[in-house]
Amino acid sequence: MRFKDKVALVMGGNSGMGLATAKALAAEGAKVHLTGRNQQTIDEAVAAIPGSRGYRADIADIASSEAVVSAIEAEDGRIDVLYINAGVGGFAPLRAITPESWDQTHSINLKGCVFALQKAVRIISKGGAIVVTGSIGAHGALPGNGVYAAAKGGLYAAMKVFAAELVGEGIRLNMVSPGPIDTPLLHRNPGMSDADVATLKQRMIESIPMHRMGESDEVAKAVLFLASEDASFITAANLFVDGGLLELR
Ligand SMILES: NC(=O)c1ccc[n+]([C@@H]2O[C@H](COP(=O)([O-])OP(=O)(O)OC[C@H]3O[C@@H](n4cnc5c(N)ncnc54)[C@H](OP(=O)(O)O)[C@@H]3O)[C@@H](O)[C@H]2O)c1
């Protein structure tokens, strides 16, 4: 019960590793607020997590992040644990990328996450903890991953600076950078059939030293560690949860 009486906000908490983290935080005593875009999966998440609240909010829409924070402020007065996890994938090589696809990814994965942090930090309690989802994609060189890597790499760089700005206020800010995790994300790639996804997964599994994809629960455990008092002397860290992919290959 590391999060007993804590107020948590999980942005992107209705699917994949965000949903697993929201459930894990609640199981350890937190009151959980969660956001997403899909009303049906938000409702399902709220039904599965006792005492939780759900908000339909597109993180690319900065006003909607402010509205979520104001609603939490009115109800609970503060946020103790903030997990900024919302993000989209998508592959396109250099010759195929467009200004529009760049802006779409970056408005969510970089700009949206940064301004969600700016809005939420207003009510983060002293001693509060922030975790942000990065990606090993920002630290490797996977062909076709340039736009995504730039967004997550920018997020990594920005978060280190924000961690430096917040440390004096007693607020810790860390990043968790997953490798290939088996979530609905891969199935959201437009233009990829189920067979394409299966082939991609097989190729990933062959490249991972542990010879399997990660599970959402395994990312959730890392997020809870970084958000808890167990990590009381840790800030500006970037924890890879990737089965050894980045360091051992
Ligand atoms: N799966 C991997 O292998 C992997 C590896 C490295 C990093 N990541 C990162 O991990 C994070 C979670 O991804 P996942 O794998 O768990 O995929 P997922 O199941 O697709 O979950 C993505 C989450 O982000 C939310 N989201 C996406 N765009 C949003 C927006 N504009 N506004 C608000 N919420 C938004 C989604 O809500 P809706 O469903 O309502 O859109 C969902 O809750 C992402 O940041 C992703 O880039 C994933």
PDB file of all heavy atoms in Angstrom, residues 168-189:
ATOM      1  N   GLY A 168      14.240  21.470  -6.476  1.00  0.00           N
ATOM      2  CA  GLY A 168      14.262  22.361  -5.315  1.00  0.00           C
ATOM      3  C   GLY A 168      12.916  22.494  -4.628  1.00  0.00           C
ATOM      4  O   GLY A 168      12.830  22.939  -3.481  1.00  0.00           O
ATOM      5  N   GLU A 169      11.858  22.086  -5.326  1.00  0.00           N
ATOM      6  CA  GLU A 169      10.510  22.127  -4.737  1.00  0.00           C
ATOM      7  C   GLU A 169      10.130  20.786  -4.110  1.00  0.00           C
ATOM      8  O   GLU A 169       8.968  20.568  -3.734  1.00  0.00           O
ATOM      9  CB  GLU A 169       9.480  22.491  -5.820  1.00  0.00           C
ATOM     10  CG  GLU A 169       9.696  23.866  -6.420  1.00  0.00           C
ATOM     11  CD  GLU A 169       8.749  24.124  -7.601  1.00  0.00           C
ATOM     12  OE1 GLU A 169       7.590  23.695  -7.550  1.00  0.00           O
ATOM     13  OE2 GLU A 169       9.208  24.742  -8.577  1.00  0.00           O
ATOM     14  N   GLY A 170      11.089  19.868  -4.073  1.00  0.00           N
ATOM     15  CA  GLY A 170      10.803  18.560  -3.475  1.00  0.00           C
ATOM     16  C   GLY A 170       9.982  17.663  -4.383  1.00  0.00           C
ATOM     17  O   GLY A 170       9.321  16.721  -3.920  1.00  0.00           O
ATOM     18  N   ILE A 171      10.014  17.940  -5.681  1.00  0.00           N
ATOM     19  CA  ILE A 171       9.255  17.125  -6.646  1.00  0.00           C
ATOM     20  C   ILE A 171      10.256  16.342  -7.496  1.00  0.00           C
ATOM     21  O   ILE A 171      11.173  16.929  -8.075  1.00  0.00           O
ATOM     22  CB  ILE A 171       8.377  18.016  -7.550  1.00  0.00           C
ATOM     23  CG1 ILE A 171       7.343  18.763  -6.700  1.00  0.00           C
ATOM     24  CG2 ILE A 171       7.690  17.180  -8.638  1.00  0.00           C
ATOM     25  CD1 ILE A 171       6.587  19.851  -7.463  1.00  0.00           C
ATOM     26  N   ARG A 172      10.078  15.025  -7.551  1.00  0.00           N
ATOM     27  CA  ARG A 172      10.954  14.185  -8.371  1.00  0.00           C
ATOM     28  C   ARG A 172      10.304  13.932  -9.727  1.00  0.00           C
ATOM     29  O   ARG A 172       9.086  13.773  -9.815  1.00  0.00           O
ATOM     30  CB  ARG A 172      11.221  12.850  -7.678  1.00  0.00           C
ATOM     31  CG  ARG A 172      11.960  12.977  -6.348  1.00  0.00           C
ATOM     32  CD  ARG A 172      12.225  11.618  -5.704  1.00  0.00           C
ATOM     33  NE  ARG A 172      11.008  10.874  -5.413  1.00  0.00           N
ATOM     34  CZ  ARG A 172      10.561   9.849  -6.121  1.00  0.00           C
ATOM     35  NH1 ARG A 172      11.246   9.387  -7.155  1.00  0.00           N
ATOM     36  NH2 ARG A 172       9.441   9.241  -5.783  1.00  0.00           N
ATOM     37  N   LEU A 173      11.119  13.919 -10.761  1.00  0.00           N
ATOM     38  CA  LEU A 173      10.612  13.666 -12.117  1.00  0.00           C
ATOM     39  C   LEU A 173      11.521  12.640 -12.801  1.00  0.00           C
ATOM     40  O   LEU A 173      12.719  12.884 -12.956  1.00  0.00           O
ATOM     41  CB  LEU A 173      10.569  14.966 -12.925  1.00  0.00           C
ATOM     42  CG  LEU A 173       9.800  14.963 -14.247  1.00  0.00           C
ATOM     43  CD1 LEU A 173       9.557  16.392 -14.727  1.00  0.00           C
ATOM     44  CD2 LEU A 173      10.481  14.181 -15.351  1.00  0.00           C
ATOM     45  N   ASN A 174      10.963  11.511 -13.159  1.00  0.00           N
ATOM     46  CA  ASN A 174      11.736  10.450 -13.803  1.00  0.00           C
ATOM     47  C   ASN A 174      11.033   9.950 -15.055  1.00  0.00           C
ATOM     48  O   ASN A 174       9.833  10.184 -15.255  1.00  0.00           O
ATOM     49  CB  ASN A 174      11.922   9.279 -12.828  1.00  0.00           C
ATOM     50  CG  ASN A 174      12.833   9.640 -11.667  1.00  0.00           C
ATOM     51  OD1 ASN A 174      14.025   9.858 -11.850  1.00  0.00           O
ATOM     52  ND2 ASN A 174      12.259   9.740 -10.470  1.00  0.00           N
ATOM     53  N   MET A 175      11.808   9.262 -15.877  1.00  0.00           N
ATOM     54  CA  MET A 175      11.257   8.715 -17.120  1.00  0.00           C
ATOM     55  C   MET A 175      11.392   7.201 -17.103  1.00  0.00           C
ATOM     56  O   MET A 175      12.385   6.660 -16.604  1.00  0.00           O
ATOM     57  CB  MET A 175      12.023   9.313 -18.306  1.00  0.00           C
ATOM     58  CG  MET A 175      11.579   8.819 -19.656  1.00  0.00           C
ATOM     59  SD  MET A 175      12.240   9.865 -21.000  1.00  0.00           S
ATOM     60  CE  MET A 175      10.845  10.946 -21.294  1.00  0.00           C
ATOM     61  N   VAL A 176      10.394   6.529 -17.641  1.00  0.00           N
ATOM     62  CA  VAL A 176      10.506   5.098 -17.886  1.00  0.00           C
ATOM     63  C   VAL A 176      10.496   4.921 -19.404  1.00  0.00           C
ATOM     64  O   VAL A 176       9.665   5.503 -20.096  1.00  0.00           O
ATOM     65  CB  VAL A 176       9.375   4.317 -17.161  1.00  0.00           C
ATOM     66  CG1 VAL A 176       8.008   4.675 -17.678  1.00  0.00           C
ATOM     67  CG2 VAL A 176       9.569   2.831 -17.266  1.00  0.00           C
ATOM     68  N   SER A 177      11.497   4.202 -19.919  1.00  0.00           N
ATOM     69  CA  SER A 177      11.613   4.054 -21.374  1.00  0.00           C
ATOM     70  C   SER A 177      11.446   2.588 -21.755  1.00  0.00           C
ATOM     71  O   SER A 177      12.392   1.796 -21.662  1.00  0.00           O
ATOM     72  CB  SER A 177      12.955   4.598 -21.862  1.00  0.00           C
ATOM     73  OG  SER A 177      12.926   6.009 -21.845  1.00  0.00           O
ATOM     74  N   PRO A 178      10.250   2.235 -22.195  1.00  0.00           N
ATOM     75  CA  PRO A 178      10.011   0.825 -22.534  1.00  0.00           C
ATOM     76  C   PRO A 178      10.641   0.450 -23.860  1.00  0.00           C
ATOM     77  O   PRO A 178      10.812   1.271 -24.768  1.00  0.00           O
ATOM     78  CB  PRO A 178       8.474   0.748 -22.645  1.00  0.00           C
ATOM     79  CG  PRO A 178       7.949   2.030 -22.076  1.00  0.00           C
ATOM     80  CD  PRO A 178       9.032   3.043 -22.271  1.00  0.00           C
ATOM     81  N   GLY A 179      10.970  -0.831 -23.957  1.00  0.00           N
ATOM     82  CA  GLY A 179      11.252  -1.460 -25.240  1.00  0.00           C
ATOM     83  C   GLY A 179       9.949  -2.002 -25.787  1.00  0.00           C
ATOM     84  O   GLY A 179       8.881  -1.485 -25.456  1.00  0.00           O
ATOM     85  N   PRO A 180      10.012  -3.041 -26.627  1.00  0.00           N
ATOM     86  CA  PRO A 180       8.773  -3.575 -27.197  1.00  0.00           C
ATOM     87  C   PRO A 180       7.872  -4.217 -26.131  1.00  0.00           C
ATOM     88  O   PRO A 180       8.254  -5.197 -25.492  1.00  0.00           O
ATOM     89  CB  PRO A 180       9.272  -4.631 -28.197  1.00  0.00           C
ATOM     90  CG  PRO A 180      10.685  -4.220 -28.496  1.00  0.00           C
ATOM     91  CD  PRO A 180      11.206  -3.662 -27.210  1.00  0.00           C
ATOM     92  N   ILE A 181       6.722  -3.622 -25.927  1.00  0.00           N
ATOM     93  CA  ILE A 181       5.750  -4.100 -24.934  1.00  0.00           C
ATOM     94  C   ILE A 181       4.487  -4.500 -25.688  1.00  0.00           C
ATOM     95  O   ILE A 181       4.054  -3.789 -26.612  1.00  0.00           O
ATOM     96  CB  ILE A 181       5.412  -2.993 -23.899  1.00  0.00           C
ATOM     97  CG1 ILE A 181       6.692  -2.351 -23.299  1.00  0.00           C
ATOM     98  CG2 ILE A 181       4.512  -3.553 -22.798  1.00  0.00           C
ATOM     99  CD1 ILE A 181       7.577  -3.254 -22.484  1.00  0.00           C
ATOM    100  N   ASP A 182       3.915  -5.616 -25.287  1.00  0.00           N
ATOM    101  CA  ASP A 182       2.746  -6.141 -25.999  1.00  0.00           C
ATOM    102  C   ASP A 182       1.479  -5.401 -25.554  1.00  0.00           C
ATOM    103  O   ASP A 182       0.854  -5.763 -24.566  1.00  0.00           O
ATOM    104  CB  ASP A 182       2.614  -7.639 -25.722  1.00  0.00           C
ATOM    105  CG  ASP A 182       1.746  -8.320 -26.760  1.00  0.00           C
ATOM    106  OD1 ASP A 182       1.222  -7.616 -27.650  1.00  0.00           O
ATOM    107  OD2 ASP A 182       1.598  -9.552 -26.673  1.00  0.00           O
ATOM    108  N   THR A 183       1.153  -4.339 -26.260  1.00  0.00           N
ATOM    109  CA  THR A 183      -0.020  -3.508 -25.953  1.00  0.00           C
ATOM    110  C   THR A 183      -0.811  -3.300 -27.245  1.00  0.00           C
ATOM    111  O   THR A 183      -0.325  -3.652 -28.332  1.00  0.00           O
ATOM    112  CB  THR A 183       0.400  -2.113 -25.432  1.00  0.00           C
ATOM    113  OG1 THR A 183       0.933  -1.359 -26.532  1.00  0.00           O
ATOM    114  CG2 THR A 183       1.439  -2.194 -24.327  1.00  0.00           C
ATOM    115  N   PRO A 184      -1.971  -2.654 -27.153  1.00  0.00           N
ATOM    116  CA  PRO A 184      -2.729  -2.378 -28.389  1.00  0.00           C
ATOM    117  C   PRO A 184      -2.017  -1.431 -29.358  1.00  0.00           C
ATOM    118  O   PRO A 184      -2.417  -1.302 -30.514  1.00  0.00           O
ATOM    119  CB  PRO A 184      -4.022  -1.729 -27.866  1.00  0.00           C
ATOM    120  CG  PRO A 184      -4.169  -2.243 -26.477  1.00  0.00           C
ATOM    121  CD  PRO A 184      -2.767  -2.355 -25.948  1.00  0.00           C
ATOM    122  N   LEU A 185      -0.920  -0.788 -28.931  1.00  0.00           N
ATOM    123  CA  LEU A 185      -0.263   0.241 -29.760  1.00  0.00           C
ATOM    124  C   LEU A 185       0.092  -0.264 -31.163  1.00  0.00           C
ATOM    125  O   LEU A 185      -0.163   0.412 -32.153  1.00  0.00           O
ATOM    126  CB  LEU A 185       0.998   0.742 -29.054  1.00  0.00           C
ATOM    127  CG  LEU A 185       1.698   1.943 -29.706  1.00  0.00           C
ATOM    128  CD1 LEU A 185       1.084   3.255 -29.223  1.00  0.00           C
ATOM    129  CD2 LEU A 185       3.182   1.972 -29.360  1.00  0.00           C
ATOM    130  N   LEU A 186       0.696  -1.456 -31.201  1.00  0.00           N
ATOM    131  CA  LEU A 186       1.151  -1.967 -32.501  1.00  0.00           C
ATOM    132  C   LEU A 186      -0.005  -2.146 -33.477  1.00  0.00           C
ATOM    133  O   LEU A 186       0.159  -2.021 -34.683  1.00  0.00           O
ATOM    134  CB  LEU A 186       1.866  -3.312 -32.320  1.00  0.00           C
ATOM    135  CG  LEU A 186       3.290  -3.265 -31.776  1.00  0.00           C
ATOM    136  CD1 LEU A 186       3.847  -4.681 -31.670  1.00  0.00           C
ATOM    137  CD2 LEU A 186       4.177  -2.428 -32.683  1.00  0.00           C
ATOM    138  N   HIS A 187      -1.171  -2.462 -32.928  1.00  0.00           N
ATOM    139  CA  HIS A 187      -2.336  -2.714 -33.787  1.00  0.00           C
ATOM    140  C   HIS A 187      -2.969  -1.416 -34.276  1.00  0.00           C
ATOM    141  O   HIS A 187      -3.923  -1.437 -35.039  1.00  0.00           O
ATOM    142  CB  HIS A 187      -3.369  -3.557 -33.024  1.00  0.00           C
ATOM    143  CG  HIS A 187      -2.835  -4.906 -32.647  1.00  0.00           C
ATOM    144  ND1 HIS A 187      -2.931  -6.000 -33.469  1.00  0.00           N
ATOM    145  CD2 HIS A 187      -2.151  -5.308 -31.547  1.00  0.00           C
ATOM    146  CE1 HIS A 187      -2.334  -7.039 -32.889  1.00  0.00           C
ATOM    147  NE2 HIS A 187      -1.863  -6.641 -31.717  1.00  0.00           N
ATOM    148  N   ARG A 188      -2.449  -0.298 -33.792  1.00  0.00           N
ATOM    149  CA  ARG A 188      -3.033   0.992 -34.198  1.00  0.00           C
ATOM    150  C   ARG A 188      -2.292   1.590 -35.382  1.00  0.00           C
ATOM    151  O   ARG A 188      -2.575   2.713 -35.770  1.00  0.00           O
ATOM    152  CB  ARG A 188      -2.968   1.975 -33.038  1.00  0.00           C
ATOM    153  CG  ARG A 188      -3.761   1.551 -31.805  1.00  0.00           C
ATOM    154  CD  ARG A 188      -3.727   2.700 -30.823  1.00  0.00           C
ATOM    155  NE  ARG A 188      -4.090   2.323 -29.490  1.00  0.00           N
ATOM    156  CZ  ARG A 188      -5.038   2.938 -28.789  1.00  0.00           C
ATOM    157  NH1 ARG A 188      -5.723   3.909 -29.320  1.00  0.00           N
ATOM    158  NH2 ARG A 188      -5.280   2.580 -27.545  1.00  0.00           N
ATOM    159  N   ASN A 189      -1.295   0.896 -35.916  1.00  0.00           N
ATOM    160  CA  ASN A 189      -0.550   1.441 -37.051  1.00  0.00           C
ATOM    161  C   ASN A 189      -1.384   1.366 -38.317  1.00  0.00           C
ATOM    162  O   ASN A 189      -1.666   0.279 -38.809  1.00  0.00           O
ATOM    163  CB  ASN A 189       0.746   0.643 -37.272  1.00  0.00           C
ATOM    164  CG  ASN A 189       1.853   1.125 -36.362  1.00  0.00           C
ATOM    165  OD1 ASN A 189       2.110   2.320 -36.282  1.00  0.00           O
ATOM    166  ND2 ASN A 189       2.499   0.197 -35.668  1.00  0.00           N
TER     167      ASN A 189
END
